[in-house]
Amino acid sequence: EQQHDFPGFAIRDRGPHDSMARAGDRPAYDPVTYLQPLRGNQAALGFDPDSDPARAAAIQATLHSHAMTATVPIRLVQDSSDPTGVLLTRAVAPRANGPGVLVEVLRMDRFVASLLATVQQSIEVRISDQQTRQALFDSMHADIPPDNPQVIEFGGRTYHIATAPTPLYLARHQSWQSWAVLVIG
């Protein structure tokens, strides 16, 4: 049915070294059949996320709990060179062919950079997956200690967020800070 709209469509699994290969025989398949936007994401079309343990675990958790579930940090099918991907999964109402899952792909480095675009000269941020200790975004300079690190829970996972002023911010506000300390003191 998919080959009608996408000639050459095949159900694929992730193989060694992040290569994609035609899926082997098994009782059931759950391939990606709808992408939005398609452009730039074609590599994921036909990929069976159940062939990857991290993706399969998140899908099973969301089907069981009906709550949004996040994967551990993963390499995305669309860009296997980027290890900062996170999939957010959510169960949708079952159809005639069984349960479905909506998956939102977050390229955390791009996502957080876009959120910080207007303040990137003032603040540095590090976001890490607490369980794996893997950085999902890191713009921190090693010589500046973070201010008041926070821990948040989202999608069934825990993330550590640290922030600090940038060296540029400190340089621009050095005299103001000294004056404030003198006045407050």
Side-chain angles (χ1 to χ4, degrees):
E1 197 174 299
Q2 289 291 313
Q3 288 179 347
H4 179 322
D5 293 328
F6 303 101
F9 177 91
I11 299 174
R12 297 170 293 120
D13 296 341
R14 182 169 256 163
H17 310 293
D18 293 327
S19 64
M20 299 296 280
R22 193 178 219 37
D25 288 334
R26 57 180 175 263
Y29 301 96
D30 295 310
V32 173
T33 56
Y34 178 77
L35 291 164
Q36 189 63 323
L38 180 60
R39 187 176 187 173
N41 292 306
Q42 297 94 323
L45 192 62
F47 173 65
D48 187 348
D50 286 340
S51 67
D52 177 71
R55 290 167 171 86
I59 289 170
Q60 289 307 310
T62 198
L63 288 171
H64 177 64
S65 68
H66 295 282
M68 185 182 310
T69 305
T71 63
V72 297
I74 58 171
R75 292 186 182 281
L76 299 174
V77 173
Q78 298 92 319
D79 184 4
S80 63
S81 66
D82 180 5
T84 66
V86 171
L87 302 181
L88 302 177
T89 61
R90 179 70 185 225
V92 294
R95 306 271 187 205
N97 60 351
V101 176
L102 175 66
V103 178
E104 176 69 29
V105 175
L106 288 180
R107 294 176 174 168
M108 290 298 288
D109 59 342
R110 293 181 189 177
F111 176 68
V112 177
S114 69
L115 292 175
L116 299 174
T118 60
V119 294
Q120 68 185 1
Q121 293 185 346
S122 301
I123 189 169
E124 297 178 340
V125 176
R126 179 182 299 128
I127 301 175
S128 304
D129 180 286
Q130 189 77 10
Q131 289 91 336
T132 64
R133 304 253 187 249
Q134 182 176 346
L136 294 168
F137 182 84
D138 192 352
S139 64
M140 306 268 302
H141 286 78
D143 56 338
I144 299 176
D147 294 332
N148 195 18
Q150 299 291 311
V151 175
I152 63 166
E153 291 188 20
F154 179 75
R157 300 201 59 78
T158 306
Y159 300 95
H160 182 261
I161 301 174
T163 59
T166 63
L168 178 62
Y169 178 88
L170 291 174
R172 287 182 177 169
H173 294 87
Q174 185 174 15
S175 62
W176 175 83
Q177 289 175 341
S178 299
W179 181 250
V181 169
L182 179 62
V183 169
I184 292 170

